[in-house]
Amino acid sequence: MRKIFVILVTFIFLNFNTYAETLIKHESNTDGSDTFDINFIFQSVHNVKKNVQLLTDFENIHKFNPSAFKTEILSKDVDKLFLKTTFRDCVLFFCREMKMYEYIFSYCENNNFCIIQSEVIPKNDSPVISGKTTWKIKNHSKTNKSMISYQSKFRAFLTLPPFIGDSIFKKTIQRNLKFLEEKINGLP
């Protein structure tokens, strides 16, 4: 039964022209930190190579994420990059800045399938204490389009206002991922 379900979902997933799904799970931990588990999938009008170029242009990543206020490449090696990103979000008159440090690696297999992975590096000026993110960009077999999946799980000490903080944070993440999808698909 499970195999039939997976085949059906895959068939629907690959045959619709547009598809996007966001799933965000939040857990409050006993040490006062919060864990977020985010999954997002969408179809891009671009091929794998173009999407990888867009998603790894870290100096201009703010074009795809309205919360990314500033990015700084701290070091660049042949196979990895050390990136500092400052995020800034405002709700009414309350604004918050958050810094995050990541090592980022990427690789491709024949321009049909690419992976971009990042791992959070904890620093004193960042509330994010751990996390991993994986982007998978896969060529759509019958078109020049591709499927992009994003999976991220991170743990941070966030000061979220009681009752509404979790909801606002989730909506910000959803808004940013939808913005990313629209911007990528809106480019020539």
Side-chain angles (χ1 to χ4, degrees):
M1 184 69 177
R2 180 176 164 90
K3 286 181 182 179
I4 293 171
F5 178 74
V6 170
I7 291 168
L8 181 61
V9 168
T10 303
F11 176 79
I12 291 169
F13 182 78
L14 293 175
N15 286 299
F16 281 118
N17 288 331
T18 58
Y19 176 86
E21 181 181 322
T22 307
L23 177 63
I24 302 170
K25 295 179 185 174
H26 170 249
E27 181 181 327
S28 295
N29 303 312
T30 56
D31 65 355
S33 66
D34 293 284
T35 300
F36 288 89
D37 191 352
I38 307 158
N39 290 286
F40 181 64
I41 299 170
F42 70 97
Q43 184 173 8
S44 172
V45 298
H46 303 294
N47 63 29
V48 171
K49 185 177 179 181
K50 172 79 172 183
N51 283 317
V52 171
Q53 288 172 341
L54 294 170
L55 293 170
T56 58
D57 181 9
F58 299 109
E59 292 169 335
N60 294 303
I61 206 70
H62 60 277
K63 293 178 182 177
F64 303 111
N65 184 341
S67 294
F69 180 67
K70 180 177 159 188
T71 54
E72 184 180 348
I73 296 173
L74 301 176
S75 69
K76 196 173 191 177
D77 207 345
V78 174
D79 61 346
K80 67 181 171 183
L81 179 88
F82 188 39
L83 184 71
K84 174 185 174 184
T85 306
T86 303
F87 298 95
R88 184 166 196 217
D89 280 302
C90 296
V91 177
L92 296 174
F93 53 86
F94 175 75
C95 294
R96 167 200 304 215
E97 273 191 18
M98 179 181 88
K99 294 179 181 136
M100 185 168 68
Y101 298 84
E102 301 172 278
Y103 274 119
I104 301 169
F105 320 64
S106 62
Y107 62 91
C108 294
E109 295 177 8
N110 301 327
N111 286 331
N112 289 321
F113 181 74
C114 294
I115 300 275
I116 304 167
Q117 291 184 314
S118 70
E119 185 169 346
V120 168
I121 305 302
K123 295 280 186 180
N124 289 339
D125 63 342
S126 173
V128 185
I129 53 177
S130 67
K132 290 187 180 192
T133 299
T134 302
W135 291 89
K136 294 179 183 174
I137 304 104
K138 184 177 180 181
N139 194 26
H140 189 283
S141 59
K142 297 178 183 172
T143 68
N144 202 26
K145 298 177 182 181
S146 57
M147 295 304 299
I148 298 175
S149 70
Y150 168 87
Q151 199 283 320
S152 182
K153 186 171 186 174
F154 67 93
R155 195 168 136 234
F157 285 98
L158 302 173
T159 51
L160 300 173
F163 309 113
I164 61 165
D166 172 41
S167 174
I168 289 172
F169 196 73
K170 284 181 178 180
K171 285 182 186 199
T172 300
I173 293 169
Q174 286 176 328
R175 179 201 71 200
N176 290 352
L177 291 170
K178 190 68 180 159
F179 183 87
L180 168 85
E181 177 189 5
E182 290 169 0
K183 286 295 183 180
I184 282 181
N185 284 329
L187 291 173

